[in-house]
């Protein structure tokens, strides 16, 4: 059913002041429904459903349909008089009409689950209509329960014939979100006589409508519940359709659907591509037909677009191009259609988050992206699921990326290269005719001629066009050098150096993140398959935050895990004038980095290396302006850890166990400028008590947003920013004030955690690597070299490089490092319990700081030796922490995670050991150093290119002081070597040496004339239809032969 048809039906329905029975979801025996025998206060058998149904933050696989107008989850409900919500005793209820139904007097209760395609589509349409923020929702399962023409208890035969109620409850889910629709056709009675009702079924304690979590805290009830007004349900609604109520019910708070005149603006999807062209659903205020609606993006109010009314609940607007990222304000302007209306024009405000193109998946994918050569045929590919519009008739356009007068890159339309796309197409080829260095490709929807709205479009990544001839590349390189020399010099910029090895970079979450250009996060990648811009790299990393004046640093690693030197044939990373974040004034996110750093690297280094061995003079010039990503002086981070049934490893290396229940200070700086807290909840197995960490929260006071990660039984985990749950669907890298967050999905068969959430506070040099399991969290905390020793306190000790005084209470009492677990628990751990005023946590409805604490909780402190049996050893090996966890929880997954965590931390501690390194050897023009490594004792040999010869010994060694021995070696031209090398040339003793010199000069001049004439003739030949191409000294750039992994390239970036 189309959305337009659905809106039309609902509009007609509203005039009838109820939902007609033939517009209920189909029910009855002919549709395969079940019913149950005529009864009073009965229920269906337990209905095992085929999918988990989320309700009040819990998953359910069994439900009951009760005669008395209720669907229950944790047991049947025979109670006929409705109590006021909230109710306890595990009465988890969906109540479309809880009253004393008696189907012995008349009527039937029908129910079924279904995955019928037409039913799922109808449910999908209704959810999207009434919840515009759920524009991508797709129903996967529906449950239909119908109380058809049912009578009330105590009705006489004649009353029972004429007083009947018909209503329906629809349960809908996609496995993550769930919704309920209540449809009411006819409500003629409200109360059974046993509930105080009269002979007409009125009065007494009328029916209750709503939802109850069963915890005595969380609930929702329709306002008219348990009042005489409940009889008006067919004329009431929360979505402006009489007789219909719609709710979202998967979270702890029931959310109503529809619109509201209060005008709270929601935007879906919340995240948007920087280049625009995306249709956004704006919802909240009620929109009337023929209202004029426009949206303004950005605080300056200069970018305004016309919007289209989809229903009274929402409008759609297509986003413009943004040259910024992060939160952007959106204003929805609604002008009433009737100019004489007393209703005034209204403005509603919301926020949209603009994503950096490198942190989004490019919907248009380039086949063989390394060989997009000027003048040759190239191919684009797409998936129909990534196209948000009808593709028939679409066009393909090229946009160039050029700096304006302020050197800010801007998109300019270049040409339309494909005029018509068939609906069946999934790829297209065209000739790349452009003289520009950087372009973007856009697939654009077709619109009606008079349609002035922005068109939807999808984008490729930025293309650095491969020139056909090397002189084109050299010209682009020289042009860039001229421009770059007019900008502030980067020679004195002190930017964060690279880690020396891949494994160090991979765990340095404080300072680095995976380069989004490298498609895969898998550390097993082979060179040539992963990093588009750096084909011989296994993996590259970028800075978490821009360096001085907005600079970036790119660090690339080879298959041996060593950082790569740009001045080698393999290439490597370097300092970058513009970080791809583009945070500083005078920079455009993504584009400035492409134009002023990436494209110049291609033209100055990568393309010349395709036709000559060694380092070209252009690449040496690039090196002089972009210092390579050296690792000399890199200082690793110091790790700490929590794991299992909580065990702690302090940054000073002390291990201990503390099982509290409540909220505690994990650590804080002594200045209180940074705070990290953990929430522990109890676990119990046959009376044996322990606890696990289920949530943690951290904040740099006045410097960052507050970030909380907590378990969620439906979504695995939630990330909250300043107390608000973030929708991270389809997004894996996010930036907030003072903090970055990245999410990695676990595809490993050897790790049991479902996801990994990495949170970095770069300004404070602190990071959290969080591993999400089914029922607990573990994490690794890292402290950067800028965190002063002795500057923290809490459960992670004091970080003073002495593990013997880490067990210090909040009151300053120091325990011995070998203290018993019970002593640690009572005299150190519990002292770090936080107060309500100190808490950074959020609390679910009905919970509080006080309700989370359990001051009387006493865990198991020690386990008996007899508990360590063969089964335990099979799970744990010889890990004593694992023994404890398995004994307390009998959970092999938790115990196994403990064993792996200990192994992981040991490995990280080894990686984090500081070693003396020499960094890259000194740069030599026309040559490159082949080194065995960069640590003490490693050696290097200088190899000159074919047109030069070695002068000097050509060998260096990494000294114990962390410096390469000074070899004074260079690469000079062969002629120069023959003239000046005293070891190979006899020095003339008379003027007779002038004769051969003169002869040589004369011969060279004659040869020059011959060559010049030849070139002129060749050029004339070319002008007269000859096939010779190129310019003097030019050579055609060969195609790249690297095996690029197109399947990885087409996967989402981080």
């Amino acid at each position: 059913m189309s959305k337009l048809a659905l809106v039309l039906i609902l509009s007609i329905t509203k005039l009838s002041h109820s939902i007609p029975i033939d517009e209920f979801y189909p029910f009855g025996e002919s549709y395969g429904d079940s019913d149950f025998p005529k009864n009073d206060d009965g229920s269906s058998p337990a209905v095992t459903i085929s999918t988990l149904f989320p309700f009040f933050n819990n998953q359910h696989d069994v439900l009951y349909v009760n005669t008395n107008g209720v669907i229950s989850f944790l047991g049947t409900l025979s109670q006929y008089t409705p109590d006021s919500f909230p109710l306890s005793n595990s009465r988890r209820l969906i109540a479309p009409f809880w009253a004393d139904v008696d189907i012995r007097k008349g009527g039937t209760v029908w129910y079924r689950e279904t995955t019928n395609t037409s039913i799922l589509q109808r449910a999908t349409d209704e959810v999207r209509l009434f919840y515009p923020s759920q524009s991508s929702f797709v129903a996967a399962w529906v449950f239909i329960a119908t109380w058809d023409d049912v009578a009330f208890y105590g009705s006489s035969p004649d009353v029972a014939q004429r007083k009947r109620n018909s209503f329906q409850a629809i349960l809908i889910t996609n496995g993550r979100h769930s919704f309920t629709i209540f449809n009411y056709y006819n409500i003629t009675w409200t109360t059974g006589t046993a509930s105080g009702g009269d002979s007409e079924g009125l009065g007494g304690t009328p029916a209750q409508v709503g939802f109850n979590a069963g915890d005595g805290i969380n609930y929702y009830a329709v306002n008219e519940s348990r009042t005489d007004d409940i009889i008006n349900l067919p004329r009431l609604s929360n979505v402006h359709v009489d007789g219909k109520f719609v709710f979202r019910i998967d979270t702890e708070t029931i959310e109503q659907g529809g619109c509201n005149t209060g005008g709270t603006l929601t935007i879906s999807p919340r995240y948007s591509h920087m280049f625009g062209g995306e249709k956004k659903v704006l919802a909240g205020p009620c929109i009337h037909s023929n209202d004029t609606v426009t949206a303004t993006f950005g605080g300056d109010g200069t970018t305004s677009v016309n919007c289209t009314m989809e229903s009274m609940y929402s409008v759609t607007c297509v986003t413009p191009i943004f040259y910024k990222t992060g939160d952007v304000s959106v204003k929805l302007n609604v002008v009433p259609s009737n100019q004489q209306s007393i209703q005034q024009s209204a403005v509603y405000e919301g926020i949209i988050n603009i994503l950096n193109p490198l942190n989004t998946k490019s919907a248009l994918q380039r086949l063989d992206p390394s060989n997009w050569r000027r003048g040759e045929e190239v191919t684009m590919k797409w998936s129909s699921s990534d196209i948000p519009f009808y593709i028939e008739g679409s066009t393909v356009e090229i946009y160039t990326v050029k700096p304006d007068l302020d050197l800010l890159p801007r998109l300019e339309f270049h040409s339309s290269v494909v005029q018509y796309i068939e609906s069946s197409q999934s790829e297209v080829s065209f000739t790349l005719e452009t003289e520009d260095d950087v372009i973007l490709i856009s697939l654009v929807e077709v619109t009606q001629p008079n349609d002035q709205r922005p068109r939807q479009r999808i984008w490729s990544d930025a293309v650095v066009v491969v020139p056909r001839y090397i002189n084109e590349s050299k010209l682009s390189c020289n042009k860039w050098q001229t421009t770059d020399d007019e900008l502030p010099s980067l020679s004195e910029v002190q930017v964060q150096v690279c880690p020396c090895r891949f494994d160090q970079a991979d765990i340095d979450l404080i300072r680095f993140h995976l380069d989004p250009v490298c498609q895969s996060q898998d550390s097993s990648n082979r060179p040539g398959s992963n990093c588009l811009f750096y084909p011989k790299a296994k993996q590259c990393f970028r800075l978490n935050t821009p360096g001085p004046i907005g600079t970036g640093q790119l660090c690339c690693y080879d298959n041996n895990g060593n950082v790569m030197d740009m001045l080698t044939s393999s290439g490597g990373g370097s300092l970058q004038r513009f970080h791809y974040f583009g945070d500083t004034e005078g920079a455009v996110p993504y584009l400035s980095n492409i134009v002023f750093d990436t494209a110049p690297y291609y033209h100055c280094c990568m393309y010349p290396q395709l036709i000559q061995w060694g380092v070209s003079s252009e690449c040496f010039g690039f090196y002089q302006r972009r210092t390579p990503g050296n690792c000399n002086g890199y200082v690793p981070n110091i790790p700490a850890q929590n794991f299992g049934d909580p065990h702690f490893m302090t940054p000073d290396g002390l291990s201990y166990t503390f099982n509290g229940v409540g909220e505690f200070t994990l650590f804080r700086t002594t200045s209180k400028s940074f705070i990290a807290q953990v929430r522990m909840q109890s676990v119990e197995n046959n009376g044996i008590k322990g606890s696990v960490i289920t949530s943690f929260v951290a904040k740099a006071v006045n410097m960052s947003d507050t970030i909380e990660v907590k378990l969620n039984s439906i979504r695995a985990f939630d990330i909250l920013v300043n107390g608000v749950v973030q929708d991270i669907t389809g997004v894996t890298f996010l930036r907030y004030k003072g903090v970055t967050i990245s999410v990695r999905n676990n595809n490993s068969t050897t790790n049991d955690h479902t996801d990994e959430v990495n949170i970095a506070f770069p300004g404070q040099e602190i990071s959290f690597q969080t591993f999400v399991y089914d029922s607990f969290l573990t994490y690794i905390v890292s402290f950067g070299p800028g965190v002063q020793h002795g500057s923290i306190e809490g459960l992670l000790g004091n970080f003073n490089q002495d593990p013997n005084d880490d067990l210090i209470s909040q009151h300053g009492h120091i325990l011995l490092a070998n203290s018993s677990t019970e002593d640690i628990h009572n005299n150190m751990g519990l002292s770090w319990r936080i107060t309500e005023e100190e808490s950074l946590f959020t609390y679910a409805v009905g919970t509080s700081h006080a309700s989370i604490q359990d001051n009387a909780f006493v865990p198991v402190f020690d386990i008996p030796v007899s508990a360590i049996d063969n089964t335990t050893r099979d799970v744990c090996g010889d890990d004593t922490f694992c023994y404890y966890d398995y004994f307390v929880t009998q959970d092999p997954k938790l115990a196994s995670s403990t064993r792996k965590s200990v192994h992981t931390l040991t490995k990280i501690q080894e990686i984090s050991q500081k070693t003396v390194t020499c960094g890259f050897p000194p740069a030599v023009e026309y040559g490159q150093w082949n080194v065995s490594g960069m640590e003490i004792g490693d050696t290097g040999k200088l190899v000159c290119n074919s047109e030069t010869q070695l002068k000097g010994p050509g060998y260096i060694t990494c000294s114990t002081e962390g410096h390469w021995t000074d070899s004074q070696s260079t690469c000079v031209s062969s002629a120069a070597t023959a003239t000046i090398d005293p070891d190979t040339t006899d020095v003339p003793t008379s003027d007779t040496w002038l004769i051969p010199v003169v002869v040589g000069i004369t011969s060279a001049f004659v040869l020059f004339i011959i060559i010049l004439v030849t070139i002129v003739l060749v050029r004339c030949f070319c002008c007269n239809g000859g096939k010779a191409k190129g310019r003097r000294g030019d050579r055609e750039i060969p195609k790249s032969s690297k095996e690029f992994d197109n399947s990885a390239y087409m996967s989402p970036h981080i």
Side-chain angles (χ1 to χ4, degrees), residues 741-756:
I741 300 175
S742 63
V743 179
R744 297 189 194 184
N745 298 118
N746 174 39
N747 297 317
S748 171
T749 58
T750 60
N751 291 319
D752 296 323
H753 63 272
T754 57
D755 293 284
E756 178 183 327

Side-chain angles (χ1 to χ4, degrees), residues 618-684:
E618 289 82 11
C619 193
F620 192 79
F622 183 87
Y623 161 84
Q624 291 176 315
R625 295 165 177 82
R626 299 287 188 273
T627 307
N630 209 337
C631 74
N632 196 23
Y634 173 76
V635 180
N637 301 321
I638 303 298
Q641 191 176 32
N642 154 263
F643 52 93
D645 185 8
H647 312 290
F648 296 83
M649 174 78 78
T650 71
D652 290 335
L654 177 69
S655 300
Y656 71 94
T657 298
F658 168 59
N659 292 117
V661 172
E663 296 164 343
F664 301 86
T665 298
L666 178 63
F667 72 92
R668 66 190 182 199
T669 55
T670 53
S671 63
K672 308 297 191 297
S673 60
F674 190 92
I675 302 169
Q677 301 168 345
V678 290
R679 177 180 290 166
M680 302 184 192
Q681 293 183 280
S682 62
V683 293
E684 186 170 344

